Amino acid sequence: MTDVLVDALEEVRGRLASVSLPLVLPGADRARAARTELLGQLDDYVLPRLHRIDAPLLAVVGGSTGAGKSTLVNSLVRRRVSEPGVLRPTTRSPVLAFNPADAGWFDDARILPGLARTSTASRDPGSLQLVAVDSVPVGLAVLDAPDIDSVEARNRTLASQLLAAADLWLFVTSAARYADQVPWDFLHAAAERSAAVAVVLDRIPLGAREEVAGHLRQMLDERGLPGSPLFTVAERPVDQDGLLPGSAVAEIRGWLDGLAADAQARAAVVRQTLEGAVGSVVVRSGEVAEAHAAQLETVARLRADVHRAYEEARRDVAEASADGTLLRGEVLARWQEFVGTGELLRALESRVGRVRDRVSGWFRGRPPQVERVAVAVESGLESLLLEHAEAAAERTWRSWSSVEAGARLLDSTPPEVALSRASRELRGAAERSVRDWQKDVLEMVRTEGAEKRTTARFLAFGVNGLSVALMIVVFAHTAGVTGAEAGIAGGSAVLGQKLLEAVFGDQAVRRLAERARQELDVRVGELYAAEADRYLVVLAGLGLEEAAGERLRSAAATVARLQGEP
């Protein structure tokens, strides 16, 4: 079972490592801290302990600044292995005392693999000083940790890491500070994990033992640690080596010696803490998975904001390019220069026998006018594309700015990206898109007229003339212009329609117009997709793996099932 559980926990560890929580969301900081703590606990304690279940019991001595931890450790092992002092913080790197017979358990990275081994005193919090002491019983190791409330953040972090790696917490507090909040935060975490904890009430003034110890016992019972041993150490002078009298720590020493000598009792402590740690990994992994799901939900919302804004822009362009809006101003003027007004329409309605001469005469010498219409169409469409792209960028910016996670992402983008505006490249891209669409229309007309190139009407209008006529028909699909322009623009569109029908027939014209509209919509969609990608790239850069949270949840569920099996 142990090997299977180890494999399952290795899976949880890998899944935890793959979960990222980059967005600023409520609870995200807590989840990130939990993820870091879980990885540390798996690496420093759970997996090494499962691999070496028969390793010596590791008792970590932790507590508040000035509680007397180092003096207690020295007094327990009857040797000055850890330097106490008046200046704070005192302990900068952990000191591990063990029996020489157990040296093989600690001289490599199987326990606390993240700390470098040293045999001399060190001020480096990244190292672990190993001290072999005959007075420490075989099967037990005592580790002096930095202060949990140290003024130095790295000391506090290391203290938390070491306590999470302990089989047994020997938690030291003083009569003056036992009710402080920071120690109780740690004790509450121990209770949640079902960790084995013993509490040492140190430096008790003469005559205050019963009152202070009684109050602390009541607090332990009320806060989830009713079965935890409570030891008291009276305030006493130390000898020249900085050690308390043996009688002052005899009760603690006797209890630790008993654990070391009793394999069953030692195994029970390890089992209690290990099972609690594994259970904590399961529960807290679920919390990390929930936080990951919240990240995905927020990314989905931000992504939807982008798609919604640019889809709206695409629809607006489709509407404005089909309702006659473009048949105003320059496009209308150039088109009328090309076709005139009613006279050409009357020519188109004349009997077929007279069409060639009348229409050929009408268009003879007019290629420049065709080019002017095409240029006006190009300019009008480009302006329309730029206008709605700017609107889409502004809408997306406002949507993202309305939530803290989105606002933080916007703040993190380089100034040159300028996500509140359309991209600098858009104008050139819009020009290319419009020109490509005009080429599409030209090719449609050329292909459709392949069998009509020798007819009078085709020769009279030419491919370019018929192409601009098709564009005009596309732009007046719903005849949406109003006011004084309505008659002029609408009539001009009708003229374009009649002109095309005179060459291709009404069914072919409807098919060509629909295809031209679709092609334009595709071009606009591609153009705006590139604009939207500026935002989507930011989201992709977060590195959120969509399935990571569910995989973590599944791996944790497997551990929970294995842990529940006999």
Side-chain angles (χ1 to χ4, degrees), residues 311-328 331 377 380-389 437 471-481 517 520-521 524 528:
E311 177 60 21
E312 183 178 343
R314 187 197 63 78
R315 288 196 306 268
D316 288 345
V317 168
E319 182 178 340
S321 62
D323 65 1
T325 298
L326 280 173
L327 294 184
R328 295 186 175 111
V331 175
V377 167
L381 263 179
E382 288 170 10
S383 297
L384 190 65
L385 293 172
L386 294 174
E387 174 190 347
H388 289 289
W437 178 71
M471 294 175 202
I472 297 300
V473 170
V474 169
F475 296 154
H477 178 53
T478 61
V481 288
R517 276 190 290 272
L520 179 59
D521 192 56
V524 174
Y528 284 172

Side-chain angles (χ1 to χ4, degrees), residues 71-72 74-76 78 232-240 242-253:
T71 298
L72 178 67
N74 293 337
S75 301
L76 287 171
R78 309 312 299 166
T232 58
V233 178
E235 181 76 70
R236 295 189 186 184
V238 297
D239 63 18
Q240 61 183 5
L243 309 182
L244 292 167
S247 59
V249 297
E251 186 181 10
I252 306 171
R253 175 65 188 257

